[in-house]
Amino acid sequence: MRAKIVAVANQKGGVGKTTTAINLGAALAMRGYRTLIIDLDPQGNASTGLGVDRDTRLLSTYDLLLGDVSADAASQSTAIEGLSIIPANMDLSSADGELMATAKRVVHLRNALRSRDTTYDYVLIDCPPSLNLTTINAFVASDTILVPLQAEFFALEGLSQLLLTVREVRGSANTGLRIEGVLLTMFDRRNNLCQQVEDDARQNLGDLVLHTKIPRNVRLSEAPSYAMPVMNYDPTSRGAIAYRTLAGEFLQRNRVKEPTHA
């Protein structure tokens, strides 16, 4: 059985992509779903946030994209049972130029991930904050895209380019690609602007906007410095509760009841 592949993407930086990949992945794993995170950002924050030391990243997403390396060979286990990661290092920063020189530049990641059945239920791709060839590879490889959207002014304007890129990919290299959902992040109920952004998003995007909202929460910011998801760092925090709720909504939308590997 093939895993469902979800790209976590937004070309704007600082909107919570890595936080979402780490914590949604951890929440799914804690529910018994074998989950793989692919760190596709050269900064490697998802890798660091899950405790993967830079000295141990001998095989990385660069090797997955441009080398003859399987996902199983490149993946590393984490402290969370059922959660693995393919880490990133700075080699990935040169991947765009090298991909450009290849004939099948947009399908490398898809070929690497879909070459055979996998032991994972879900694969989450933490995309870089740009719509470059690396991100396009993620879109071509994915079934859906989860879009973290910071509740701030101009948030929806930045989303339009992403949606245009999705339509272009759907029209060419991946006809089945769809939006998993738009996730409001850094949400402060006391802030009228946040409420306005939510209202605008729901008016323009309808059911694509997830019911779950991720709050501004200091525990979410602190957890990566301790190399763990917020569910481990502070399970009772508002951030941890929100990501557990997100995992439940994600599974409900996918009509999944039991882990494949239970």
Side-chain angles (χ1 to χ4, degrees):
M1 180 176 178
R2 188 174 68 80
K4 177 168 183 175
I5 303 173
V6 181
V8 183
N10 189 325
Q11 76 272 24
K12 189 175 187 305
V15 298
K17 290 186 297 294
T18 299
T19 298
T20 294
I22 289 174
N23 289 292
L24 176 58
L28 291 170
M30 289 174 180
R31 286 172 175 251
Y33 296 93
R34 287 180 56 86
T35 304
L36 173 67
I37 294 175
I38 297 178
D39 189 348
L40 213 58
D41 188 339
Q43 297 177 83
N45 290 335
S47 308
T48 303
L50 285 171
V52 181
D53 190 270
R54 291 188 181 276
D55 293 337
T56 68
R57 302 177 197 181
L58 303 180
L59 291 176
S60 68
T61 45
Y62 174 86
D63 302 292
L64 185 69
L65 268 174
L66 290 157
D68 188 19
V69 173
S70 70
D72 287 344
S75 66
Q76 298 186 26
S77 60
T78 71
I80 310 299
E81 184 177 358
L83 180 64
S84 299
I85 186 168
I86 300 179
N89 56 33
M90 288 307 296
D91 290 346
L92 193 59
S93 60
S94 67
D96 252 39
E98 295 182 50
L99 287 168
M100 187 64 73
T102 66
K104 298 181 178 180
R105 59 180 65 94
V106 301
V107 298
H108 283 252
L109 188 58
R110 180 177 70 184
N111 292 343
L113 294 180
R114 298 191 177 187
S115 58
R116 62 185 180 83
D117 287 348
T118 180
T119 58
Y120 296 104
D121 295 298
Y122 294 104
V123 175
L124 305 178
I125 305 175
D126 182 28
C127 295
S130 62
L131 294 176
N132 57 15
L133 258 181
T134 307
T135 302
I136 300 302
N137 262 266
F139 288 3
V140 173
S142 297
D143 298 296
T144 62
I145 300 173
L146 176 62
V147 186
L149 186 72
Q150 185 177 354
E152 64 170 9
F153 199 59
F154 293 138
L156 291 179
E157 283 194 9
L159 187 60
S160 60
Q161 182 59 49
L162 175 64
L163 296 178
L164 179 60
T165 302
V166 171
R167 282 195 290 271
E168 291 173 349
V169 171
R170 188 186 293 137
S172 56
N174 185 358
T175 57
L177 183 66
R178 66 179 182 85
I179 300 295
E180 181 72 40
V182 174
L183 175 67
L184 293 170
T185 60
M186 305 180 195
F187 196 89
D188 186 348
R189 294 182 183 277
R190 300 166 297 180
N191 188 327
N192 290 334
L193 177 60
C194 286
Q195 190 61 57
Q196 183 181 338
V197 171
E198 179 182 7
D199 292 344
D200 289 347
R202 295 193 187 281
Q203 181 177 349
N204 285 279
L205 301 171
D207 291 340
L208 283 180
V209 182
L210 298 171
H211 294 295
T212 305
K213 298 185 284 287
I214 307 302
R216 283 196 177 275
N217 180 239
V218 67
R219 296 305 194 194
L220 281 174
S221 302
E222 292 173 349
S225 64
Y226 291 88
M228 62 179 71
V230 72
M231 269 74 69
N232 294 71
Y233 178 64
D234 188 348
T236 63
S237 66
R238 291 189 303 123
I241 292 168
Y243 275 108
R244 286 196 295 268
T245 302
L246 174 63
E249 183 174 0
F250 174 83
L251 293 170
Q252 185 177 33
R253 282 185 167 225
N254 285 278
R255 297 182 173 86
V256 177
K257 294 184 179 180
E258 297 296 334
T260 302
H261 305 279

PDB file of all heavy atoms in Angstrom, residues 104-136:
ATOM      1  N   LYS A 104      14.457  15.251 -16.676  1.00  0.00           N
ATOM      2  CA  LYS A 104      13.195  15.070 -15.958  1.00  0.00           C
ATOM      3  C   LYS A 104      13.275  15.796 -14.620  1.00  0.00           C
ATOM      4  O   LYS A 104      13.145  15.207 -13.559  1.00  0.00           O
ATOM      5  CB  LYS A 104      12.894  13.593 -15.763  1.00  0.00           C
ATOM      6  CG  LYS A 104      12.727  12.844 -17.093  1.00  0.00           C
ATOM      7  CD  LYS A 104      12.407  11.373 -16.879  1.00  0.00           C
ATOM      8  CE  LYS A 104      12.194  10.667 -18.221  1.00  0.00           C
ATOM      9  NZ  LYS A 104      11.887   9.231 -18.058  1.00  0.00           N
ATOM     10  N   ARG A 105      13.452  17.097 -14.700  1.00  0.00           N
ATOM     11  CA  ARG A 105      13.821  17.891 -13.527  1.00  0.00           C
ATOM     12  C   ARG A 105      12.738  17.953 -12.454  1.00  0.00           C
ATOM     13  O   ARG A 105      13.055  18.216 -11.300  1.00  0.00           O
ATOM     14  CB  ARG A 105      14.201  19.307 -13.970  1.00  0.00           C
ATOM     15  CG  ARG A 105      13.119  20.061 -14.712  1.00  0.00           C
ATOM     16  CD  ARG A 105      13.606  21.457 -15.117  1.00  0.00           C
ATOM     17  NE  ARG A 105      14.694  21.406 -16.080  1.00  0.00           N
ATOM     18  CZ  ARG A 105      14.536  21.474 -17.392  1.00  0.00           C
ATOM     19  NH1 ARG A 105      13.323  21.588 -17.893  1.00  0.00           N
ATOM     20  NH2 ARG A 105      15.572  21.429 -18.187  1.00  0.00           N
ATOM     21  N   VAL A 106      11.462  17.749 -12.807  1.00  0.00           N
ATOM     22  CA  VAL A 106      10.390  17.931 -11.813  1.00  0.00           C
ATOM     23  C   VAL A 106       9.891  16.619 -11.221  1.00  0.00           C
ATOM     24  O   VAL A 106       9.018  16.641 -10.349  1.00  0.00           O
ATOM     25  CB  VAL A 106       9.196  18.711 -12.412  1.00  0.00           C
ATOM     26  CG1 VAL A 106       9.632  20.074 -12.893  1.00  0.00           C
ATOM     27  CG2 VAL A 106       8.501  17.919 -13.502  1.00  0.00           C
ATOM     28  N   VAL A 107      10.417  15.476 -11.655  1.00  0.00           N
ATOM     29  CA  VAL A 107       9.862  14.198 -11.203  1.00  0.00           C
ATOM     30  C   VAL A 107      10.839  13.377 -10.368  1.00  0.00           C
ATOM     31  O   VAL A 107      10.552  12.229 -10.035  1.00  0.00           O
ATOM     32  CB  VAL A 107       9.359  13.358 -12.401  1.00  0.00           C
ATOM     33  CG1 VAL A 107       8.249  14.084 -13.131  1.00  0.00           C
ATOM     34  CG2 VAL A 107      10.500  13.000 -13.344  1.00  0.00           C
ATOM     35  N   HIS A 108      11.980  13.953 -10.011  1.00  0.00           N
ATOM     36  CA  HIS A 108      12.974  13.187  -9.251  1.00  0.00           C
ATOM     37  C   HIS A 108      12.403  12.677  -7.931  1.00  0.00           C
ATOM     38  O   HIS A 108      12.563  11.497  -7.595  1.00  0.00           O
ATOM     39  CB  HIS A 108      14.211  14.058  -8.983  1.00  0.00           C
ATOM     40  CG  HIS A 108      15.098  14.213 -10.174  1.00  0.00           C
ATOM     41  ND1 HIS A 108      16.324  13.610 -10.270  1.00  0.00           N
ATOM     42  CD2 HIS A 108      14.936  14.905 -11.330  1.00  0.00           C
ATOM     43  CE1 HIS A 108      16.891  13.919 -11.421  1.00  0.00           C
ATOM     44  NE2 HIS A 108      16.072  14.716 -12.084  1.00  0.00           N
ATOM     45  N   LEU A 109      11.761  13.558  -7.182  1.00  0.00           N
ATOM     46  CA  LEU A 109      11.260  13.151  -5.878  1.00  0.00           C
ATOM     47  C   LEU A 109      10.117  12.152  -6.017  1.00  0.00           C
ATOM     48  O   LEU A 109      10.036  11.185  -5.265  1.00  0.00           O
ATOM     49  CB  LEU A 109      10.801  14.381  -5.075  1.00  0.00           C
ATOM     50  CG  LEU A 109      10.428  14.113  -3.614  1.00  0.00           C
ATOM     51  CD1 LEU A 109      11.594  13.501  -2.850  1.00  0.00           C
ATOM     52  CD2 LEU A 109       9.975  15.401  -2.932  1.00  0.00           C
ATOM     53  N   ARG A 110       9.241  12.373  -6.986  1.00  0.00           N
ATOM     54  CA  ARG A 110       8.147  11.415  -7.198  1.00  0.00           C
ATOM     55  C   ARG A 110       8.695  10.030  -7.509  1.00  0.00           C
ATOM     56  O   ARG A 110       8.231   9.029  -6.948  1.00  0.00           O
ATOM     57  CB  ARG A 110       7.243  11.867  -8.342  1.00  0.00           C
ATOM     58  CG  ARG A 110       6.078  10.898  -8.599  1.00  0.00           C
ATOM     59  CD  ARG A 110       5.160  11.399  -9.689  1.00  0.00           C
ATOM     60  NE  ARG A 110       5.808  11.332 -11.000  1.00  0.00           N
ATOM     61  CZ  ARG A 110       5.239  11.790 -12.114  1.00  0.00           C
ATOM     62  NH1 ARG A 110       4.043  12.366 -12.066  1.00  0.00           N
ATOM     63  NH2 ARG A 110       5.875  11.688 -13.259  1.00  0.00           N
ATOM     64  N   ASN A 111       9.688   9.964  -8.371  1.00  0.00           N
ATOM     65  CA  ASN A 111      10.263   8.666  -8.718  1.00  0.00           C
ATOM     66  C   ASN A 111      10.907   7.998  -7.509  1.00  0.00           C
ATOM     67  O   ASN A 111      10.820   6.784  -7.335  1.00  0.00           O
ATOM     68  CB  ASN A 111      11.293   8.837  -9.837  1.00  0.00           C
ATOM     69  CG  ASN A 111      10.659   9.235 -11.153  1.00  0.00           C
ATOM     70  OD1 ASN A 111       9.452   9.090 -11.336  1.00  0.00           O
ATOM     71  ND2 ASN A 111      11.468   9.749 -12.071  1.00  0.00           N
ATOM     72  N   ALA A 112      11.537   8.803  -6.662  1.00  0.00           N
ATOM     73  CA  ALA A 112      12.190   8.244  -5.478  1.00  0.00           C
ATOM     74  C   ALA A 112      11.181   7.720  -4.463  1.00  0.00           C
ATOM     75  O   ALA A 112      11.426   6.709  -3.793  1.00  0.00           O
ATOM     76  CB  ALA A 112      13.072   9.305  -4.830  1.00  0.00           C
ATOM     77  N   LEU A 113      10.035   8.392  -4.348  1.00  0.00           N
ATOM     78  CA  LEU A 113       9.056   8.023  -3.319  1.00  0.00           C
ATOM     79  C   LEU A 113       8.042   6.991  -3.792  1.00  0.00           C
ATOM     80  O   LEU A 113       7.500   6.241  -2.981  1.00  0.00           O
ATOM     81  CB  LEU A 113       8.310   9.273  -2.847  1.00  0.00           C
ATOM     82  CG  LEU A 113       9.148  10.316  -2.117  1.00  0.00           C
ATOM     83  CD1 LEU A 113       8.275  11.504  -1.715  1.00  0.00           C
ATOM     84  CD2 LEU A 113       9.817   9.716  -0.892  1.00  0.00           C
ATOM     85  N   ARG A 114       7.786   6.946  -5.081  1.00  0.00           N
ATOM     86  CA  ARG A 114       6.717   6.075  -5.570  1.00  0.00           C
ATOM     87  C   ARG A 114       7.227   4.861  -6.320  1.00  0.00           C
ATOM     88  O   ARG A 114       6.479   4.183  -7.008  1.00  0.00           O
ATOM     89  CB  ARG A 114       5.779   6.882  -6.470  1.00  0.00           C
ATOM     90  CG  ARG A 114       5.106   8.031  -5.726  1.00  0.00           C
ATOM     91  CD  ARG A 114       4.001   8.660  -6.527  1.00  0.00           C
ATOM     92  NE  ARG A 114       3.324   9.704  -5.769  1.00  0.00           N
ATOM     93  CZ  ARG A 114       2.239  10.339  -6.172  1.00  0.00           C
ATOM     94  NH1 ARG A 114       1.689  10.035  -7.335  1.00  0.00           N
ATOM     95  NH2 ARG A 114       1.669  11.271  -5.423  1.00  0.00           N
ATOM     96  N   SER A 115       8.505   4.579  -6.182  1.00  0.00           N
ATOM     97  CA  SER A 115       9.083   3.469  -6.920  1.00  0.00           C
ATOM     98  C   SER A 115       8.598   2.113  -6.419  1.00  0.00           C
ATOM     99  O   SER A 115       8.589   1.135  -7.143  1.00  0.00           O
ATOM    100  CB  SER A 115      10.617   3.531  -6.841  1.00  0.00           C
ATOM    101  OG  SER A 115      11.047   3.505  -5.491  1.00  0.00           O
ATOM    102  N   ARG A 116       8.173   2.082  -5.149  1.00  0.00           N
ATOM    103  CA  ARG A 116       7.659   0.815  -4.614  1.00  0.00           C
ATOM    104  C   ARG A 116       6.821   1.096  -3.385  1.00  0.00           C
ATOM    105  O   ARG A 116       6.735   2.224  -2.897  1.00  0.00           O
ATOM    106  CB  ARG A 116       8.814  -0.120  -4.262  1.00  0.00           C
ATOM    107  CG  ARG A 116       9.751   0.412  -3.175  1.00  0.00           C
ATOM    108  CD  ARG A 116      10.924  -0.527  -2.998  1.00  0.00           C
ATOM    109  NE  ARG A 116      11.846  -0.081  -1.980  1.00  0.00           N
ATOM    110  CZ  ARG A 116      11.706  -0.300  -0.682  1.00  0.00           C
ATOM    111  NH1 ARG A 116      10.650  -0.946  -0.233  1.00  0.00           N
ATOM    112  NH2 ARG A 116      12.622   0.120   0.184  1.00  0.00           N
ATOM    113  N   ASP A 117       6.175   0.034  -2.891  1.00  0.00           N
ATOM    114  CA  ASP A 117       5.346   0.180  -1.700  1.00  0.00           C
ATOM    115  C   ASP A 117       6.213   0.596  -0.519  1.00  0.00           C
ATOM    116  O   ASP A 117       7.419   0.366  -0.484  1.00  0.00           O
ATOM    117  CB  ASP A 117       4.627  -1.135  -1.375  1.00  0.00           C
ATOM    118  CG  ASP A 117       3.505  -1.427  -2.350  1.00  0.00           C
ATOM    119  OD1 ASP A 117       3.153  -0.521  -3.110  1.00  0.00           O
ATOM    120  OD2 ASP A 117       2.997  -2.562  -2.343  1.00  0.00           O
ATOM    121  N   THR A 118       5.564   1.197   0.465  1.00  0.00           N
ATOM    122  CA  THR A 118       6.299   1.699   1.617  1.00  0.00           C
ATOM    123  C   THR A 118       5.665   1.197   2.906  1.00  0.00           C
ATOM    124  O   THR A 118       4.522   0.735   2.913  1.00  0.00           O
ATOM    125  CB  THR A 118       6.295   3.246   1.617  1.00  0.00           C
ATOM    126  OG1 THR A 118       7.016   3.724   2.752  1.00  0.00           O
ATOM    127  CG2 THR A 118       4.883   3.791   1.659  1.00  0.00           C
ATOM    128  N   THR A 119       6.419   1.275   3.974  1.00  0.00           N
ATOM    129  CA  THR A 119       5.891   0.874   5.281  1.00  0.00           C
ATOM    130  C   THR A 119       5.198   2.024   5.983  1.00  0.00           C
ATOM    131  O   THR A 119       4.682   1.851   7.084  1.00  0.00           O
ATOM    132  CB  THR A 119       7.038   0.359   6.181  1.00  0.00           C
ATOM    133  OG1 THR A 119       8.016   1.395   6.309  1.00  0.00           O
ATOM    134  CG2 THR A 119       7.686  -0.870   5.580  1.00  0.00           C
ATOM    135  N   TYR A 120       5.157   3.215   5.347  1.00  0.00           N
ATOM    136  CA  TYR A 120       4.568   4.388   5.995  1.00  0.00           C
ATOM    137  C   TYR A 120       3.101   4.562   5.619  1.00  0.00           C
ATOM    138  O   TYR A 120       2.667   4.203   4.527  1.00  0.00           O
ATOM    139  CB  TYR A 120       5.348   5.646   5.611  1.00  0.00           C
ATOM    140  CG  TYR A 120       6.772   5.626   6.092  1.00  0.00           C
ATOM    141  CD1 TYR A 120       7.824   5.366   5.209  1.00  0.00           C
ATOM    142  CD2 TYR A 120       7.081   5.831   7.436  1.00  0.00           C
ATOM    143  CE1 TYR A 120       9.130   5.333   5.651  1.00  0.00           C
ATOM    144  CE2 TYR A 120       8.385   5.792   7.879  1.00  0.00           C
ATOM    145  CZ  TYR A 120       9.405   5.540   6.992  1.00  0.00           C
ATOM    146  OH  TYR A 120      10.696   5.501   7.435  1.00  0.00           O
ATOM    147  N   ASP A 121       2.353   5.144   6.555  1.00  0.00           N
ATOM    148  CA  ASP A 121       0.976   5.551   6.277  1.00  0.00           C
ATOM    149  C   ASP A 121       0.942   6.941   5.667  1.00  0.00           C
ATOM    150  O   ASP A 121       0.167   7.209   4.744  1.00  0.00           O
ATOM    151  CB  ASP A 121       0.152   5.540   7.570  1.00  0.00           C
ATOM    152  CG  ASP A 121       0.004   4.149   8.161  1.00  0.00           C
ATOM    153  OD1 ASP A 121      -0.571   3.293   7.480  1.00  0.00           O
ATOM    154  OD2 ASP A 121       0.482   3.924   9.287  1.00  0.00           O
ATOM    155  N   TYR A 122       1.801   7.838   6.201  1.00  0.00           N
ATOM    156  CA  TYR A 122       1.820   9.232   5.746  1.00  0.00           C
ATOM    157  C   TYR A 122       3.253   9.709   5.566  1.00  0.00           C
ATOM    158  O   TYR A 122       4.138   9.363   6.356  1.00  0.00           O
ATOM    159  CB  TYR A 122       1.092  10.149   6.740  1.00  0.00           C
ATOM    160  CG  TYR A 122      -0.386   9.866   6.822  1.00  0.00           C
ATOM    161  CD1 TYR A 122      -0.917   9.174   7.904  1.00  0.00           C
ATOM    162  CD2 TYR A 122      -1.240  10.260   5.794  1.00  0.00           C
ATOM    163  CE1 TYR A 122      -2.270   8.886   7.959  1.00  0.00           C
ATOM    164  CE2 TYR A 122      -2.590   9.976   5.850  1.00  0.00           C
ATOM    165  CZ  TYR A 122      -3.094   9.291   6.927  1.00  0.00           C
ATOM    166  OH  TYR A 122      -4.428   8.985   6.972  1.00  0.00           O
ATOM    167  N   VAL A 123       3.443  10.510   4.528  1.00  0.00           N
ATOM    168  CA  VAL A 123       4.705  11.203   4.291  1.00  0.00           C
ATOM    169  C   VAL A 123       4.401  12.693   4.251  1.00  0.00           C
ATOM    170  O   VAL A 123       3.547  13.138   3.477  1.00  0.00           O
ATOM    171  CB  VAL A 123       5.356  10.763   2.964  1.00  0.00           C
ATOM    172  CG1 VAL A 123       6.612  11.586   2.695  1.00  0.00           C
ATOM    173  CG2 VAL A 123       5.687   9.277   2.984  1.00  0.00           C
ATOM    174  N   LEU A 124       5.069  13.468   5.102  1.00  0.00           N
ATOM    175  CA  LEU A 124       4.909  14.921   5.153  1.00  0.00           C
ATOM    176  C   LEU A 124       6.186  15.565   4.651  1.00  0.00           C
ATOM    177  O   LEU A 124       7.274  15.286   5.172  1.00  0.00           O
ATOM    178  CB  LEU A 124       4.621  15.392   6.579  1.00  0.00           C
ATOM    179  CG  LEU A 124       3.421  14.756   7.297  1.00  0.00           C
ATOM    180  CD1 LEU A 124       3.312  15.317   8.714  1.00  0.00           C
ATOM    181  CD2 LEU A 124       2.132  14.994   6.531  1.00  0.00           C
ATOM    182  N   ILE A 125       6.069  16.415   3.628  1.00  0.00           N
ATOM    183  CA  ILE A 125       7.238  17.082   3.058  1.00  0.00           C
ATOM    184  C   ILE A 125       7.279  18.524   3.542  1.00  0.00           C
ATOM    185  O   ILE A 125       6.378  19.314   3.246  1.00  0.00           O
ATOM    186  CB  ILE A 125       7.199  17.053   1.522  1.00  0.00           C
ATOM    187  CG1 ILE A 125       7.047  15.611   1.001  1.00  0.00           C
ATOM    188  CG2 ILE A 125       8.467  17.681   0.951  1.00  0.00           C
ATOM    189  CD1 ILE A 125       6.882  15.528  -0.505  1.00  0.00           C
ATOM    190  N   ASP A 126       8.309  18.861   4.290  1.00  0.00           N
ATOM    191  CA  ASP A 126       8.500  20.234   4.768  1.00  0.00           C
ATOM    192  C   ASP A 126       9.217  21.021   3.679  1.00  0.00           C
ATOM    193  O   ASP A 126      10.420  20.868   3.479  1.00  0.00           O
ATOM    194  CB  ASP A 126       9.304  20.233   6.070  1.00  0.00           C
ATOM    195  CG  ASP A 126       9.487  21.629   6.641  1.00  0.00           C
ATOM    196  OD1 ASP A 126       8.621  22.490   6.387  1.00  0.00           O
ATOM    197  OD2 ASP A 126      10.494  21.867   7.334  1.00  0.00           O
ATOM    198  N   CYS A 127       8.472  21.851   2.941  1.00  0.00           N
ATOM    199  CA  CYS A 127       9.010  22.547   1.771  1.00  0.00           C
ATOM    200  C   CYS A 127       9.746  23.823   2.158  1.00  0.00           C
ATOM    201  O   CYS A 127       9.453  24.434   3.193  1.00  0.00           O
ATOM    202  CB  CYS A 127       7.872  22.903   0.806  1.00  0.00           C
ATOM    203  SG  CYS A 127       7.055  21.470   0.080  1.00  0.00           S
ATOM    204  N   PRO A 128      10.681  24.260   1.319  1.00  0.00           N
ATOM    205  CA  PRO A 128      11.371  25.533   1.573  1.00  0.00           C
ATOM    206  C   PRO A 128      10.442  26.717   1.311  1.00  0.00           C
ATOM    207  O   PRO A 128       9.415  26.566   0.632  1.00  0.00           O
ATOM    208  CB  PRO A 128      12.523  25.510   0.568  1.00  0.00           C
ATOM    209  CG  PRO A 128      12.029  24.644  -0.543  1.00  0.00           C
ATOM    210  CD  PRO A 128      11.185  23.587   0.103  1.00  0.00           C
ATOM    211  N   PRO A 129      10.786  27.895   1.825  1.00  0.00           N
ATOM    212  CA  PRO A 129       9.922  29.073   1.640  1.00  0.00           C
ATOM    213  C   PRO A 129      10.135  29.728   0.279  1.00  0.00           C
ATOM    214  O   PRO A 129      10.545  30.891   0.182  1.00  0.00           O
ATOM    215  CB  PRO A 129      10.356  29.989   2.786  1.00  0.00           C
ATOM    216  CG  PRO A 129      11.794  29.633   3.008  1.00  0.00           C
ATOM    217  CD  PRO A 129      11.901  28.155   2.745  1.00  0.00           C
ATOM    218  N   SER A 130       9.853  28.981  -0.773  1.00  0.00           N
ATOM    219  CA  SER A 130       9.965  29.504  -2.138  1.00  0.00           C
ATOM    220  C   SER A 130       9.249  28.534  -3.067  1.00  0.00           C
ATOM    221  O   SER A 130       8.987  27.390  -2.695  1.00  0.00           O
ATOM    222  CB  SER A 130      11.428  29.654  -2.550  1.00  0.00           C
ATOM    223  OG  SER A 130      12.070  28.390  -2.544  1.00  0.00           O
ATOM    224  N   LEU A 131       8.950  29.014  -4.271  1.00  0.00           N
ATOM    225  CA  LEU A 131       8.340  28.147  -5.282  1.00  0.00           C
ATOM    226  C   LEU A 131       9.398  27.784  -6.317  1.00  0.00           C
ATOM    227  O   LEU A 131       9.248  28.027  -7.508  1.00  0.00           O
ATOM    228  CB  LEU A 131       7.139  28.855  -5.919  1.00  0.00           C
ATOM    229  CG  LEU A 131       5.955  29.112  -4.979  1.00  0.00           C
ATOM    230  CD1 LEU A 131       4.863  29.902  -5.677  1.00  0.00           C
ATOM    231  CD2 LEU A 131       5.402  27.797  -4.427  1.00  0.00           C
ATOM    232  N   ASN A 132      10.489  27.178  -5.845  1.00  0.00           N
ATOM    233  CA  ASN A 132      11.594  26.811  -6.716  1.00  0.00           C
ATOM    234  C   ASN A 132      11.420  25.374  -7.232  1.00  0.00           C
ATOM    235  O   ASN A 132      10.399  24.728  -6.991  1.00  0.00           O
ATOM    236  CB  ASN A 132      12.933  26.981  -5.989  1.00  0.00           C
ATOM    237  CG  ASN A 132      12.995  26.173  -4.705  1.00  0.00           C
ATOM    238  OD1 ASN A 132      12.185  25.283  -4.468  1.00  0.00           O
ATOM    239  ND2 ASN A 132      13.971  26.482  -3.864  1.00  0.00           N
ATOM    240  N   LEU A 133      12.417  24.865  -7.927  1.00  0.00           N
ATOM    241  CA  LEU A 133      12.314  23.519  -8.498  1.00  0.00           C
ATOM    242  C   LEU A 133      12.200  22.445  -7.422  1.00  0.00           C
ATOM    243  O   LEU A 133      11.550  21.422  -7.623  1.00  0.00           O
ATOM    244  CB  LEU A 133      13.546  23.237  -9.376  1.00  0.00           C
ATOM    245  CG  LEU A 133      13.355  23.343 -10.893  1.00  0.00           C
ATOM    246  CD1 LEU A 133      14.651  23.004 -11.613  1.00  0.00           C
ATOM    247  CD2 LEU A 133      12.228  22.440 -11.363  1.00  0.00           C
ATOM    248  N   THR A 134      12.827  22.672  -6.284  1.00  0.00           N
ATOM    249  CA  THR A 134      12.717  21.719  -5.188  1.00  0.00           C
ATOM    250  C   THR A 134      11.274  21.616  -4.718  1.00  0.00           C
ATOM    251  O   THR A 134      10.742  20.515  -4.509  1.00  0.00           O
ATOM    252  CB  THR A 134      13.630  22.142  -4.026  1.00  0.00           C
ATOM    253  OG1 THR A 134      14.958  22.331  -4.505  1.00  0.00           O
ATOM    254  CG2 THR A 134      13.646  21.087  -2.938  1.00  0.00           C
ATOM    255  N   THR A 135      10.623  22.763  -4.557  1.00  0.00           N
ATOM    256  CA  THR A 135       9.216  22.763  -4.146  1.00  0.00           C
ATOM    257  C   THR A 135       8.335  22.147  -5.222  1.00  0.00           C
ATOM    258  O   THR A 135       7.402  21.388  -4.906  1.00  0.00           O
ATOM    259  CB  THR A 135       8.758  24.194  -3.843  1.00  0.00           C
ATOM    260  OG1 THR A 135       9.584  24.756  -2.816  1.00  0.00           O
ATOM    261  CG2 THR A 135       7.313  24.219  -3.381  1.00  0.00           C
ATOM    262  N   ILE A 136       8.601  22.440  -6.490  1.00  0.00           N
ATOM    263  CA  ILE A 136       7.824  21.844  -7.573  1.00  0.00           C
ATOM    264  C   ILE A 136       7.970  20.323  -7.556  1.00  0.00           C
ATOM    265  O   ILE A 136       6.998  19.585  -7.775  1.00  0.00           O
ATOM    266  CB  ILE A 136       8.251  22.411  -8.949  1.00  0.00           C
ATOM    267  CG1 ILE A 136       8.045  23.926  -8.990  1.00  0.00           C
ATOM    268  CG2 ILE A 136       7.470  21.738 -10.072  1.00  0.00           C
ATOM    269  CD1 ILE A 136       6.624  24.373  -8.721  1.00  0.00           C
TER     270      ILE A 136
END
